[in-house]
Amino acid sequence: NAGVTQTPKFQVLKTGQSMTLQCAQDMNHEYMSWYRQDPGMGLRLIHYSVGAGITDQGEVPNGYNVSRSTTEDFPLRLLSAAPSQTSVYFCASSRRLASYNEQFFGPGTRLTVL
Amino acid sequence: GQQLNQSPQSMFIQEGEDVSMNCTSSSIFNTWLWYKQDPGEGPVLLIALYKAGELTSNGRLTAQFGITRKDSFLNISASIPSDVGIYFCAGPGGTSYGKLTFGQGTILTVHP
């Protein structure tokens, strides 16, 4: 199994540009989440999904959209990038049952918005 | 919302020393998780705790679920250079499945 994969690994955008961060998992996990990591602030939840067709907002959802059309994929869209969105983005997945909190993380996407 | 306070924020130790770090919550948790993040990588789960008072080991790592259910502790014995990284505590971020709240992290540096 590849686990959780994320693309791209690095990205530089100009203010106002849009892009999609890709996330895929091959573990048949029901739950998938997006976090952003900023220095000294740990990881903060952006959006999450409990299954295909179901998404919900996390702690810091503004400026980001998500959709979950398949179990495997959970893309994160930035519609109009802002410098405040410069961060490292992690996708995570987990099983639905007893160990639902034991999330597996991807390697991250390092995004810079100029 | 729920908040986790992790301490210390950073540690500089010599190889072979033991390490202790802790995490406190503003509310009761029914799960505590400890993750490690290597430089340039995503966090990796080290230990999961599900019961108050539980003590769980993973090699040189030992974690405890506090009796009050508002705190947790992680100890690393006989540290080695590859222990370098950021250690995060985490707990359920509300009643919805799949949501995690993370502490700010403890940055560990080990000098050979």
Side-chain angles (χ1 to χ4, degrees):
Chain A
N1 288 349
V4 180
T5 58
Q6 292 183 237
T7 57
K9 195 166 181 66
F10 300 94
Q11 183 69 51
V12 179
L13 292 177
K14 294 181 180 179
T15 297
Q17 287 185 316
S18 62
M19 80 158 296
T20 299
L21 280 62
Q22 301 292 341
C23 174
Q25 53 90 11
D26 61 359
M27 298 174 282
N28 202 31
H29 284 173
E30 293 90 347
Y31 297 97
M32 296 187 74
S33 308
W34 277 101
Y35 295 85
R36 61 177 288 173
Q37 182 178 24
D38 301 294
M41 300 187 73
L43 288 91
R44 293 181 293 168
L45 182 65
I46 304 172
H47 285 285
Y48 67 101
S49 169
V50 300
I54 306 170
T55 64
D56 206 346
Q57 296 181 348
E59 181 185 355
V60 287
N62 293 340
Y64 308 95
N65 282 350
V66 292
S67 60
R68 183 97 179 269
S69 57
T70 67
T71 298
E72 294 79 18
D73 300 297
F74 191 42
L76 179 71
R77 298 183 187 85
L78 284 71
L79 298 180
S80 180
S84 61
Q85 294 179 305
T86 293
S87 187
V88 182
Y89 292 85
F90 289 100
C91 179
S93 72
S94 62
R95 291 189 297 123
R96 183 169 185 172
L97 297 178
S99 60
Y100 69 87
N101 275 322
E102 296 179 11
Q103 297 194 7
F104 296 86
F105 284 81
T109 294
R110 284 144 187 85
L111 176 67
T112 301
V113 182
L114 303 176
Chain B
Q2 293 160 321
Q3 293 184 347
L4 294 181
N5 291 312
Q6 200 170 338
S7 65
Q9 290 187 341
S10 61
M11 302 182 73
F12 299 84
I13 63 170
Q14 291 292 129
E15 182 177 0
E17 291 184 357
D18 296 342
V19 174
S20 292
M21 59 189 78
N22 68 78
C23 196
T24 59
S25 169
S26 57
S27 57
I28 290 174
F29 277 6
N30 55 26
T31 303
W32 281 98
L33 306 171
W34 284 93
Y35 283 86
K36 182 195 177 192
Q37 183 179 26
D38 289 328
E41 302 293 332
V44 174
L45 182 66
L46 298 173
I47 294 177
L49 303 163
Y50 295 102
K51 186 177 178 181
E54 180 181 357
L55 190 70
T56 299
S57 295
N58 179 4
R60 294 177 296 103
L61 278 63
T62 301
Q64 184 165 20
F65 192 140
I67 293 293
T68 65
R69 297 172 63 189
K70 289 187 174 182
D71 55 9
S72 181
F73 308 88
L74 177 68
N75 296 312
I76 305 173
S77 62
S79 59
I80 59 178
S82 62
D83 290 334
V84 165
I86 306 176
Y87 292 80
F88 291 101
C89 61
T95 57
S96 297
Y97 287 138
K99 298 179 70 173
L100 281 180
T101 297
F102 282 81
Q104 309 96 315
T106 293
I107 302 171
L108 179 63
T109 303
V110 180
H111 294 288

